[in-house]
């Protein structure tokens, strides 16, 4: 029974001293938008050139394909639950390949964004770094205060390269983890930090689809993330109300 598996997840979090959550695009699907890779596919390989030659057209395409769902429909129930679990002391950190900032929007504070995100922005010309996702809400391409050139989200600026400071952060999280929860991830970049985990670390996967992690997980919950975390938080809230 899937309900028994959620009880297992609940118990594992209660027993854990440092739980690390790994998330991929699957956790954000409930927000109604496409993944960043899906957006890139729609816009084509000329997206970066269009960003420079016609930034307002590019911004409109960005908003329609990605930013709209990020700001108008996210974060999801799973994002919100993870932020609450961090506040409660049950989640130590989150490692994500997502660039949609939804973990931060939900209130999570210890997040490693492996590929950067729309809250890590770099000037194409002078390479000035500007932090914060709110600059993407203004209806036009954000520009550098130093030189006036357009700002690019790190993943576009660096051609989807790994952000080294965030990778080191992820590796340090894995060293401390005694529980790893994988949500909607397919394993992208996992090889760069996965082997830093301790032997015997418990692994739980939440994903309606089968992935590489089915082979290594101690438990697979083949459901969407939102209903799992809604039920999980009901368990925690029921516990607190009975005290």
């Amino acid at each position: 029974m899937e309900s028994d598996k959620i009880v297992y997840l609940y118990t594992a979090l209660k027993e854990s001293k440092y739980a690390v959550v790994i998330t991929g695009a699957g956790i954000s699907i409930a927000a109604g938008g496409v993944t960043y890779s899906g957006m890139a596919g729609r816009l084509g390989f000329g997206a970066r050139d269009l960003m420079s030659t016609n930034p307002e057209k590019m911004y409109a395409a960005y908003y329609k394909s990605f930013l709209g769902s990020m700001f108008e429909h996210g974060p999801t129930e799973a994002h919100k639950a993870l932020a609450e679990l961090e506040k409660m002391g049950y989640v130590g950190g989150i490692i994500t390949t997502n660039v949609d900032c939804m973990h931060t929007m939900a209130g999570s504070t210890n997040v490693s964004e492996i590929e950067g995100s729309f809250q890590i922005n770099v000037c194409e010309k002078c390479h000035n770094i500007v932090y914060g996702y709110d600059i993407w809400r203004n209806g036009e391409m954000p520009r550098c205060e130093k030189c006036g050139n357009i700002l690019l989200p790190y993943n576009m600026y660096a051609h989807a390269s790994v952000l080294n400071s965030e990778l080191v952060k992820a590796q340090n999280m894995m060293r401390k983890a005694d529980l790893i929860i994988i949500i909607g991830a397919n394993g992208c970049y996992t090889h760069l930090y996965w082997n830093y985990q301790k032997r015997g670390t418990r692994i739980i996967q939440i994903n309606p689809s089968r992935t590489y992690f089915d082979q290594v997980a101690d438990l697979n919950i083949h459901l969407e993330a939102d209903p799992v975390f809604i039920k999980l938080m009901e368990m925690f809230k029921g516990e607190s109300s009975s005290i």
Side-chain angles (χ1 to χ4, degrees):
M1 295 287 291
E2 296 301 329
S3 59
D4 294 335
K5 293 182 178 181
I6 299 175
V7 172
Y8 182 98
L9 172 63
Y10 168 78
T11 303
L13 280 164
K14 294 279 289 182
E15 294 174 348
S16 172
K17 294 181 180 179
Y18 194 89
V20 170
V21 178
I22 298 172
T23 67
I27 194 174
S28 297
I29 293 299
V34 296
T35 63
Y36 187 82
S37 59
M39 182 198 72
R42 288 186 186 182
L43 298 180
F45 293 107
R48 187 183 174 101
D49 292 335
L50 183 60
M51 186 78 83
S52 300
T53 59
N54 194 335
E56 304 318 318
K57 183 177 180 180
M58 185 62 197
Y59 179 86
Y62 251 50
Y63 204 93
K64 181 179 180 181
S65 297
F66 188 80
L67 292 172
S69 63
M70 172 176 147
F71 287 129
E72 297 169 22
H73 304 293
T76 68
E77 293 301 318
H79 288 104
K80 295 172 187 175
L82 290 174
E84 185 63 24
L85 289 169
E86 181 186 15
K87 291 177 185 175
M88 295 167 68
Y90 291 112
V91 168
I94 297 171
I95 301 169
T96 188
T97 52
N98 296 341
V99 301
D100 55 27
C101 312
M102 288 193 202
H103 286 300
T104 302
M105 289 179 179
S108 293
T109 60
N110 191 24
V111 182
S112 169
E113 296 175 321
I114 296 296
E115 292 186 79
S117 73
F118 279 83
Q119 61 184 347
I120 305 172
N121 306 289
V122 188
C123 177
E124 188 180 38
K125 185 176 181 180
C126 73
H127 314 298
N128 178 39
I129 300 175
V130 178
Y131 295 97
Y133 54 79
D134 279 331
I135 62 174
W136 293 95
R137 292 185 189 267
N138 300 326
E140 60 185 11
M141 282 297 299
R143 292 189 174 271
C144 177
E145 292 183 355
K146 290 186 175 181
C147 72
N149 206 67
I150 61 170
L151 296 171
L152 301 176
Y154 179 84
N155 51 299
M156 178 169 280
Y157 171 82
H159 299 281
S161 296
V162 171
L163 182 54
N164 190 61
S165 59
E166 295 295 295
L167 175 60
V168 171
K169 189 175 178 180
Q171 292 168 346
N172 288 335
M173 287 183 191
M174 293 294 280
R175 288 188 179 99
K176 294 187 285 185
D178 58 8
L179 171 64
I180 299 171
I181 301 171
I182 306 160
I183 307 170
N186 62 11
C188 184
Y189 293 126
T190 310
H191 63 286
L192 298 177
Y193 59 82
W194 184 258
N195 290 336
Y196 285 79
Q197 66 178 278
K198 296 180 291 188
R199 180 172 295 183
T201 299
R202 193 182 302 187
I203 302 169
I204 299 173
Q205 178 185 215
I206 302 168
N207 198 322
S209 302
R210 297 190 179 277
T211 73
Y212 153 79
F213 296 110
D214 281 70
Q215 304 171 45
V216 298
D218 298 288
L219 176 71
N220 289 294
I221 304 175
H222 289 301
L223 295 172
E224 298 285 351
D226 275 8
V228 170
F229 279 94
I230 289 171
K231 181 62 176 178
L232 179 68
M233 296 312 292
E234 288 174 356
M235 293 179 183
F236 278 105
K237 289 174 183 176
E239 173 191 84
S240 61
S241 64
S242 65
I243 296 175

